[in-house]
Amino acid sequence: MPRVRKEVKNLEDKIKNGQKKFVRYEEGGMIYSLGLNSFKQLARDAGAVYRVKRCVLVNVCQIDEYLEAFRDDV
């Protein structure tokens, strides 16, 4: 019987404070307001994907650094 994961309260605040460095695809999609497949592709392009046994984690610090490279200084 599969275990039910607990929802993380105040997820965005924990990431901003540095308390949570790794997220799953679903959490990352919610944080960055992207669809699941778009966030997966972004994480792969940023080189932020970590596979631990059957769990896939994404480093949000690497995502942020990757996104900063696309900043448009107008």
Side-chain angles (χ1 to χ4, degrees):
M1 183 172 182
R3 294 186 309 189
V4 177
R5 287 188 298 183
K6 297 178 185 176
E7 184 176 331
V8 178
K9 296 179 182 177
N10 303 323
L11 179 64
E12 293 181 21
D13 294 335
K14 287 185 178 184
I15 291 172
K16 288 178 184 176
N17 293 336
Q19 294 175 347
K20 188 163 183 172
K21 184 177 177 180
F22 295 97
V23 296
R24 294 176 185 250
Y25 284 138
E26 296 84 17
E27 295 170 340
M30 291 181 346
I31 293 167
Y32 291 98
S33 300
L34 294 171
L36 185 62
N37 289 329
S38 297
F39 183 73
K40 283 182 182 180
Q41 187 62 46
L42 176 68
R44 281 189 216 117
D45 293 344
V49 177
Y50 294 85
R51 288 181 174 82
V52 180
K53 295 187 181 181
R54 294 183 63 186
C55 180
V56 178
L57 300 173
V58 178
N59 187 332
V60 291
C61 298
Q62 287 181 333
I63 296 279
D64 291 338
E65 289 176 11
Y66 181 74
L67 289 175
E68 287 296 321
F70 295 102
R71 187 174 72 190
D72 189 18
D73 295 331
V74 176

